[in-house]
Each structure stands twice: as structure tokens, then as C-alpha cells.
Amino acid sequence: MIDLSGISKSYQMGQHRVHALREINLQIQPGEFVAIQGSSGSGKSTLLNVLGILDTPDTGSYTLDGHAIENLSTADAARYRNRFIGFVFQSFNLIHHKSALDNVALPLYYQRVARKQRNLKALEYLEHVGLKDRADHKPSELSGGQSQRVAIARALITQPALLLADEPTGALDTSTSEQIMNLFHEVNAQGMTVVLVTHEPDIAAQAHRSIVLRDGDIVSDRTRDAARHNISDHDSDPVNHS
Amino acid sequence: MIDRELWGEVWQVLKANRLRTLLTASGIFWGVFILIVMLGFGNGIQSGVNKSMAGYATNALYMWGRATTRPWQGLPPGRELRLTNEDTAALQSRVAGIDTLAPRLRLARFRGRSDVVHGSKVTDAEISGDTPAYQNVLPMTFRHGRFINQLDIKQKRKVAVIGERIHRDLFGDDVNPVGQQIQIRQISFTVIGVFQPRRYGSNRERMESLVITPLSTFQQVFSYGEEIGFYAMIPDTGLRSESVAAEMRQVLMQRHRVDPTDYRAFGDWNSETEFLRIERLFVGIRAFIWTVGLATLLAGVLGVSNIMMIAIRERRREFGIRKSIGATPRSVLTMILAETTTLVGVSGLLGLFAGLLALFVVDFLTRPITKSVDADVLFDTPTIDLKIALAAIVALGVASLLATLIPARHAMKIDPVEALRAE
Ligand SMILES: Nc1ncnc2c1ncn2[C@@H]1O[C@H](COP(=O)(O)OP(=O)(O)OP(=O)(O)O)[C@@H](O)[C@H]1O
Ligand SMILES: [Mg+2]
């Protein structure tokens, strides 16, 4: 599914260079649930952005689902993001002037799906995250947990193969976090690959695999043995990206 | 380029930022509105002036004899110059470029009047001797009868064409006076027509008080012999009346033995110079209107560009989000340009319609004044060349698009990682 090798990314900060990522090698299999941990500034978001083709590394190669992701045109990158990848952010990143429904439907707009169909589908996904009755609400009229569920519905509506979440529960209380995590478990159980950045140990503990970054290096990469999550439960081509 | 989906997206954005949309739109709206209204008024004034001048041959030139101011060929200065029928014949045969040459005589001094009598009724009139050619100088229509013709001239008939007030005062409005007699200085004339100038303009009272007789009759009965008072001349189309006048002057100087440099020996006045001055004035007015109108539009365009710039900065995060979920840079650009096009197009067209409506209302309210027969207001139905108006809006749209292109390209290049970094 994901194959990173030798990925580096650094920023020039005045006199010295900040290495956000150093020679990262990482493989993620289809259907995995991966948590990325690390202290602030360790490069978690940078890694996630590289995975999501939002950011381009300085060196190294990245293969996503068999496609080489180097030297993609911006238009192609946009198309990959739209088709393969769903994003969930800590700060929700909903468009404030659009209703929940229109926010969820937006990725389909960029797939040139007609308005009627995309609204129908958006409503379906809102129902799935339990917010059908909030379809007409603007983000400012939603609580944090509701906003994040809308954002998740938006990430899922294109049925991506890969769901990337950058501290999705960072702004939420424990019980709301639990609801959000349940959604992630659910889609993962259906075969979607989930990569989640978090600094909360109990969130990371729910993942099947846990990666720890420090100063742009992977310092630990542990896979839990089939205790909580058993990918062999869904062995027959779990990745469904039509 | 604008499909239905894009339109929906654009509409949502414009609706979401109502105040900003309204402000931008009103800039464009007023620009177009002002341009349309000013152009309409300019045209209205111009056609009003044209209409008020339509009653006159706008390029007519008048020439009369004065006195020599220099000695020439042994003749002393101060010699009175009197034009005659022979001059008329000479001018007609020797000067090319004359369309109409109307020799004229008047009974009194300039604009002076004499009594005209019918039975027991008396009124005063400006009496002239004219030829059929005068009709070209003063275009007219006839309520009764006809104008003087060649036969009247040839046979020196004692006939007269009278103005409307003379008709009214001597006969009464509903009496056909043709065939009736009037007396001027105890000489009887038969009325052959009642005329109405094509347009009265500001000279109504004077025009209504004219009595026109055949030139030959006039010369005989009022003892003018062969004398001509002055000429009214219209040049062939395309010729300047002044250049034809120079030739006329040359012929007359030769015939009357006048020093060719004695420019004051013959007087002349021409309406063409006045006319050209008015034309030039209109060129000026037009230039002014376009300058002000285009400046207003330019302000509108800058407003659009400015507001789009601000809007794009404000919407950085939105564009970042859009890109993170699959918007291509091109689609971002297209959307912004579509927003501008919609905004400018809709508000421009609204401005156009409002402008046309305003002109219509003005026309409706001024119609009773401008359309009355003897209207002498220098204003007529304000009109607009729709092609010019639409061209202005298209130019406005293109200018706005170009002005938006810079901020739009900026939006296109927004880095989603930067834009989405939690603040
Ligand atoms: N645009 C940038 N310019 C300069 N330095 C940057 C930029 N983006 C990231 N960095 C630096 O790169 C390093 C990694 O940043 P990153 O955002 O990936 O950290 P993180 O692990 O997500 O931290 P946090 O837990 O605070 O979100 C940091 O030292 C950061 O300061
Ligand atoms: Mg981060």
C-alpha cells in the first residue's frame, strides 16, 4: 500500500537547517491501522503530509498503491488526493460558509459528480456519522465532536483507500474522542488503511501498529500481535478503492 | 467554461459573503449606470440641438454689399455697392459649387416691419421679395396653397405667401385665405399660401410674421429696379460655404471694380461656423462623458481587483482545504475567475438595465416638453447605442478578469500545508 524509502525533508530556518524527516523508510500494508507518535516538532505532521501528497519530500521515493508519487504534476497530485486519500485534521478544517452537507459533498464536486447525487451521498455519510439532522447546519453551529464527524464523513465520501488523520481527537474530550475512534475502527474493519497521528498514548494503544518519531527519525515501530486487531479477519482483498 | 456545478459553487460563495459581494457589485453597477446615463444624456442633448437646428440650412451663407474702403482703378473709396440681378446671373454661371443661390430683398431695414391690411384689419409683417430657391434656405410646409414659383417671378404676379400669425390676425385661423387680397403700402397682393417653417425654434414670432412676395414683383412695385438686398447661399454638399463664398466674392469684386484686397466691401455671415462650433462642443462633451464614464468603470475594476485580493487572502484556508480534498490549481483559478465574471456580468447588466430604465423615465417625463411642435428645449429622447453599451460591459468584464488574474494566480499557488497549519 505505502512504501517510503529514504524520505527526507528539511527546512532552512535562518542560519541552520531543521530536519523534519531524516531518511525515513516505512512500509504500510493495506488494511493496517497505524498510529504515529512523538513529541512536538518530531515530524509527525510532515510525515503525514508527505503520505497525503500535500507535501513533497526533498529526497526519497514514495510509492502509493503501486503508483510512484515523485514528480507528479500538481493536477495529478490533486487527483490522487481526491481519489485515494481522505484527510482528517485536528482543527476540522471545514469550510465555514458551507453547510455540513455541502462540506461533506465537496470532494465529489471535484470528481464532477452532479449536485443531486453528491448531496444524496453526503446525506448518507452524514447519517453514518449520526449527523443527518444537522445537514443544514453551518460549522459554527456544530460542536467540536460534531464538526470532526462531519470532517470524517467528508474524508470517507470518496471511499479512499487511505485515511490520514492528524491528531483528530486533539481538540476533543474523552467521550467524544471515543466516538471518533469508533468511526476509525469501523472503517478500518471494512478494510481501509488508517494512519493516525496522536500524542495520546491511549489512542495510540488502540492501533494495530505504533510508530514513534523523534527529530525526524523513526525510533520505534511495533506491531501488536493480533490481540485487538486481526487483519487476517478480512483477508480477501480488503482494500476497496473503486 | 461555466458549467452548472461551477455556477452553483460560485453562487454559494457569493451568497456566503453577502456584504463583500454587494460592495463589489455596487461599484460595477454604478460605473455602468453612470456611463449609460451620461451617454444617454449626451445623445439627448445632441439630438435636441440637431432637431432645433433642423429648421435651418445649417451651412447657409449670407452675403451683401457694403461700401468700398480702398480706392481702385481710379475709383474713390466709400463707394456704395449695390447687388443686382446681373450679379445673380453672373454668380450662377461663374461660381461652381453653389447648390442654392437665393437673392433676397426686404422692405424695411433688418427685421423692420410694415403694415399689412386686409379689409378693416391691420397687422405688421416683415416683408420680403424672394425666389423659389428660398425654400431651400428655410424649409417649410404649407397649411394652405403653395410657395412662389417661377411663373410668379416671370410674370411679376402680385402674389404673397403669408406666415401663420398674419393669417390668424387678418383672416382668422379657420379661413382659407388663398385667393384673398392683402395690401402692402396700398398695393394689393393675392394670397397664394400660408406657410409653416419645418421648425419654428426660438424665432417663432418672427417666422409667423413673414410675408413673402416674388422678387421681381417686389423690385417693380416697391421701386427697387434691378437691386438685390443680399444673397442666401447653400454650397453643394461636401463643400465648405466659406470657400464657395470666397469665389463669389471674387466674381462680385471683379464686377463692381473693387480692390481684391478690400475684404470689407462685401459683408457675409454664415451659420456653418456656428454649426461647426457646436459640433466641436459636442466632441468635447463626448470626450468628457467617456473620460468620466471610463474612469468610473476603472474605479469599479480596481474595486473588483482589490476586493478579490482581500477575499482571496481571507479565504486562504478555504483554498487550502479545497486543495487537500482534490481541487486542482486550475479549478481554483477557474472558480475565482467565474466568481469575478458572475459578479461583474450580473452587476454590469443590472447597471445597464437600471441606466436604460432611468433614461426611459427621463424620456417619459420630458416627452410633453421635448415632443411639442414648437419645443425649443435643447434636449430630445436620450438614446443609447446598445452595441456600445454591451461592448463597454464586455470590456469591463475582460478588464476585471485581468485585474483578478493576479490574486487568482496567487490563490492557485497556495500551499495547502501552509494554509492548513493550525493557528
Ligand atoms: N514550513 C516550515 N518552515 C520551517 N520549519 C518547519 C515548517 N514546517 C515544519 N517545520 C519544522 O519541522 C519540524 C517538524 O514539524 P511537524 O509539524 O512535522 O511536527 P509535529 O510532529 O507535527 O509537531 P506537533 O506535535 O507540534 O504538531 C518542526 O521542527 C517544525 O518546526
Ligand atoms: Mg503536527
Side-chain angles (χ1 to χ4, degrees), chain A residues 94-96 98-100 131 133-144 146-147 150:
Chain A
L94 298 175
I95 293 176
H96 60 86
K98 284 179 177 290
S99 67
L131 288 173
D133 55 334
R134 295 287 195 278
D136 293 331
H137 289 226
K138 291 280 161 65
S140 58
E141 300 159 354
L142 300 172
S143 71
Q146 289 170 334
S147 292
V150 171

Side-chain angles (χ1 to χ4, degrees), chain A residues 41 44-46 90 166-167 197:
Chain A
K44 307 183 294 294
S45 297
T46 307
Q90 176 175 4
D166 195 348
E167 307 201 28
V197 167

Side-chain angles (χ1 to χ4, degrees), chain A residues 11 13 18 20 38-47 167, chain B residues 418 421:
Chain A
Y11 297 96
M13 287 293 281
V18 176
S39 57
S40 185
S42 57
K44 307 183 294 294
S45 297
T46 307
L47 178 58
E167 307 201 28
Chain B
E418 287 284 317
R421 181 163 294 146

Side-chain angles (χ1 to χ4, degrees), chain A residues 11 49 54-55 74-75 78-79 81-82 87 89 91 93-98 102-103 106-107 109-110 112-115 118 154, chain B residues 3-6 8-9 12-13 16-17 315 317-318 321-329 331-332 335 415-417 420-422:
Chain A
Y11 297 96
N49 290 336
L54 282 177
D55 215 343
T74 47
R79 228 156 277 139
R81 281 199 291 274
N82 186 247
F87 268 107
F89 303 91
S91 50
N93 281 334
L94 298 175
I95 293 176
H96 60 86
H97 61 74
K98 284 179 177 290
D102 288 330
N103 265 291
L106 194 58
Y109 167 78
Y110 289 110
R112 310 198 146 271
V113 176
R115 184 177 191 82
R118 58 177 200 262
R154 179 180 67 187
Chain B
D3 56 71
R4 251 181 47 148
E5 301 299 329
L6 178 60
E9 197 63 21
Q12 218 177 34
V13 169
N17 303 287
R315 288 163 66 197
R317 196 175 186 87
E318 177 188 331
I321 296 168
R322 285 178 183 274
K323 283 186 152 184
S324 76
I325 59 178
T328 58
S331 75
V332 170
M335 188 174 80
D415 176 6
V417 178
L420 292 179
R421 181 163 294 146

